[in-house]
Amino acid sequence: MTDDHVRIFDTTLRDGEQAPGFSMSTDAKLTVARTLRDLNVDIIEAGFAAASPGDAAAVHAVAEEIEGPRICSLARLTGADIDAAGKAIEPAKLKRIHTFIGTSPLHREAKLKLTQSEILSRISELVAHAVSICDDVEFSPEDAIRTEREYLVETVTAAIEAGASTINIPDTVGYTTPEEITDLFRFLISTVPGAEKVTFSTHCHDDLGMAVANSLAAVRGGARQIECAINGIGERAGNCSLEEAVMALATRNDFFGATTQINTTKIFPASVALARVTHNPIPRNKAVVGKNAFAHEAGIHQHGVLADKRTYEIMDAEAVGMPSNSIVLGKHSGKHALRSRIEALELEITPERLDEVFVKFKRLADAQREVTDADVVRLVTGSNQRPGRGGPWRLRRVELRVELDEDTQPYARIGLEHENGERQTVTCEGEGPFDAAFNAVCAIAGVEGRILTLDIHHIAGAEDGIVRAEARVEIGDTEYLGTIREVDVAHAAVGAFVVAVNQAVTKRDAEAA
Ligand code: KIV
Ligand code: ZN
């Protein structure tokens, strides 16, 4: 390893999984672990073996299957926890035990009821025990940031003397600032006896929104391991986001002078896999992996990006594994962007016709948030379908049912009418009533898909309906957006599905023709 190599210690499956709404089954953990292997992370913290038999089994399953990264389990600084961790990681070729104990006054007095010297003796005894089970041991003084500096030096010195090879300095409560943490790492690395033999690691939480900035500042102070999680998930506001830290180091190598071994083109697939298995969609404006991260709607930006994407992009979408940069057509888009989309759709248009279409395009963009490819095709080819509803199917009947007893699955009975007059009614079950309704719409239209997001807003005082629904769905490998205004929630939600599914059907039928 070179001096500038920063190890990526991924804790998505441990600190991330610990957060409410992110718990994962063993299968889900394996799915994410495979994406972490593809990313080429240095270490996977697969769980906290002593937390539950399920957690131990998941760590064991990851240790058994995943080759490449070192597989790690967390353990409190107790004999039983360390033994459980050692057992769970046993099948891995490369393994690590990560053990921790609170060291700040609050943790010592309120939580542990232990004196400074009692904690020091535990560190000496139990880190040595961990080293006797596994040759790679990481020690964390929990709440290090709020621990007295002199005492912090004593704790990490004891851990190094007992054989720990990685010293992690957690900002457990997300309290520090970039300047402070750079200074702390410089202080520790220049003060702690034996510091040159170990790797110093940073573990920051995002309570004040500074986890990534603080982790990068720790690297400036000498840290050579970043503990982070995909999509920044973790306790409370989360951990340092892997994709942001890695892309900051890659994009600003001139500033940080540090590198990672991450295959950045696997970042987006890993982010999507995690979002899928935990049912937590990636926020649209999320740095690096959000849908808007490489999207441009403003006319001036679109013009610049079409001329040379470096005008408004500091990274390539392809570098993080996103299909390509996306120009989103909306009310801020200019004629350049519209013409470029028309050309991409392989439609022909004269300059005069483009002027006419552009006027209609702006009107349509004012009426709906996004102008889809299907809308562009309709505008250019002059098809007179109702804007945003283009496609053969119309919603005729909506019946949603949820029973309070747990044994009955929610279901929906949906009726659609085809433009040729044919009517079909289908009943489907689903995880919830809207999911069931979407299944029914797909069954009638003969497509397969899934809901990515469904937003429903009540619009006070609106003239043409009081509920606005926006459904983003995936059909095949394409995303479609359906928006609609209706008078009630059920018709709005299901109507938005129909609008989106209609676009997929129109595309499918055009391709088949
Ligand atoms: O935030 C924290 O302090 C932790 C430790 C277990 C490293 O997650
Ligand atoms: Zn943590």
Side-chain angles (χ1 to χ4, degrees), residues 6 50 152 168 199 224 286 337 361 401 403 473 479 484 487:
V6 174
L152 187 58
N168 182 43
T199 302
R224 285 297 174 265
K286 169 81 182 61
F361 163 79
R401 185 124 164 220
E403 302 279 355
V473 305
E479 264 184 51
I484 202 165
V487 288

Side-chain angles (χ1 to χ4, degrees), residues 182 230 245 253 289 367 400 447 505:
T182 306
I230 304 285
N253 181 266
V289 289
L400 306 179
V447 295
V505 171

Side-chain angles (χ1 to χ4, degrees), residues 9 11 14-15 18 45 48 74-75 98-101 107 138-144 168-174 203-205 227 235-236 239:
F9 175 114
T11 188
R14 199 279 295 169
D15 209 318
Q18 241 166 266
E45 189 168 47
F48 185 174
L74 184 67
H98 174 194
T99 187
F100 73 99
I101 188 162
H107 281 239
E138 170 172 331
F139 171 71
S140 290
E142 191 189 9
D143 203 15
N168 182 43
I169 303 297
D171 181 16
T172 305
V173 288
H203 176 113
C204 295
H205 279 270
E227 301 202 354
E235 281 285 3
R236 304 180 309 281
N239 279 102

Side-chain angles (χ1 to χ4, degrees), residues 134-399:
C134 178
D135 59 0
D136 186 317
V137 171
E138 170 172 331
F139 171 71
S140 290
E142 191 189 9
D143 203 15
I145 294 295
R146 294 189 297 172
T147 301
E148 307 88 330
R149 280 197 174 190
E150 297 67 29
Y151 183 57
L152 187 58
V153 170
E154 289 185 57
T155 62
V156 300
T157 306
I160 295 171
E161 281 170 0
S165 44
T166 303
I167 297 296
N168 182 43
I169 303 297
D171 181 16
T172 305
V173 288
Y175 183 71
T176 195
T177 67
E179 288 77 6
E180 186 178 67
I181 201 169
T182 306
D183 183 61
L184 178 62
F185 273 82
R186 286 190 180 140
F187 164 76
L188 289 173
I189 291 169
S190 60
T191 312
V192 170
E196 67 294 344
K197 292 191 295 198
V198 300
T199 302
F200 275 82
S201 163
T202 178
H203 176 113
C204 295
H205 279 270
D206 210 28
D207 300 68
L208 294 173
M210 292 193 282
V212 175
N214 288 336
S215 302
L216 295 168
V219 168
R220 304 248 304 145
R224 285 297 174 265
Q225 174 175 291
I226 297 180
E227 301 202 354
C228 48
I230 304 285
N231 297 345
I233 70 169
E235 281 285 3
R236 304 180 309 281
N239 279 102
C240 167
S241 133
L242 179 148
E243 59 279 7
E244 294 174 24
V246 166
M247 289 315 290
L249 291 179
T251 309
R252 295 304 313 271
N253 181 266
D254 61 321
F255 182 75
F256 292 108
T259 54
T260 71
Q261 64 177 35
I262 296 299
N263 177 354
T264 63
T265 64
K266 301 293 181 191
I267 284 180
F268 187 60
S271 167
V272 169
L274 178 69
R276 278 196 185 153
V277 302
T278 61
H279 305 288
N280 283 285
I282 309 166
R284 207 181 160 119
N285 66 332
K286 169 81 182 61
V288 181
V289 289
K291 196 171 164 48
N292 281 7
F294 297 94
H296 307 276
E297 187 187 320
I300 297 169
H301 287 211
Q302 291 186 341
H303 187 187
V305 169
L306 289 168
D308 183 337
K309 62 184 176 180
R310 289 171 303 174
T311 49
Y312 289 102
E313 284 183 8
I314 55 166
M315 302 170 261
D316 282 341
E318 293 81 0
V320 299
M322 281 221 192
S324 70
N325 77 325
S326 60
I327 297 282
V328 176
L329 295 180
K331 66 177 179 182
H332 303 294
S333 302
K335 215 181 274 179
H336 286 283
L338 178 62
R339 190 182 50 220
S340 152
R341 181 63 56 87
I342 291 171
E343 283 164 6
L345 291 167
E346 296 183 11
L347 297 167
E348 288 188 1
I349 194 158
T350 60
E352 300 73 40
R353 175 93 182 107
L354 178 65
D355 289 342
E356 285 167 31
V357 168
F358 188 61
V359 174
K360 290 186 188 150
F361 163 79
K362 281 283 182 182
R363 230 179 274 140
L364 183 58
D366 260 339
Q368 60 189 48
R369 264 212 281 182
E370 239 176 88
V371 178
T372 65
D373 286 354
D375 293 325
V376 174
V377 173
R378 265 194 311 277
L379 288 172
V380 175
T381 58
S383 150
N384 59 1
Q385 300 273 18
R386 198 171 155 196
R389 296 202 184 193
W393 294 103
R394 293 283 170 275
L395 184 58
R396 290 295 178 222
R397 174 187 183 151
V398 176
E399 202 185 313

Side-chain angles (χ1 to χ4, degrees), residues 397-402 409-415 425-430 432-441 494:
R397 174 187 183 151
V398 176
E399 202 185 313
L400 306 179
R401 185 124 164 220
V402 203
Q409 272 234 293
Y411 79 83
R413 190 167 168 73
I414 302 296
T425 302
V426 159
T427 304
C428 278
E429 290 185 340
F434 290 135
D435 186 50
F438 180 66
N439 292 343
V441 172
V494 185

Side-chain angles (χ1 to χ4, degrees), residues 386 389 457-469 484-489 492:
R386 198 171 155 196
R389 296 202 184 193
H457 302 280
H458 286 264
I459 307 169
E463 282 170 19
D464 57 347
I466 53 161
V467 180
R468 180 179 187 283
I484 202 165
R485 284 173 183 229
E486 286 292 352
V487 288
D488 70 273
V489 171

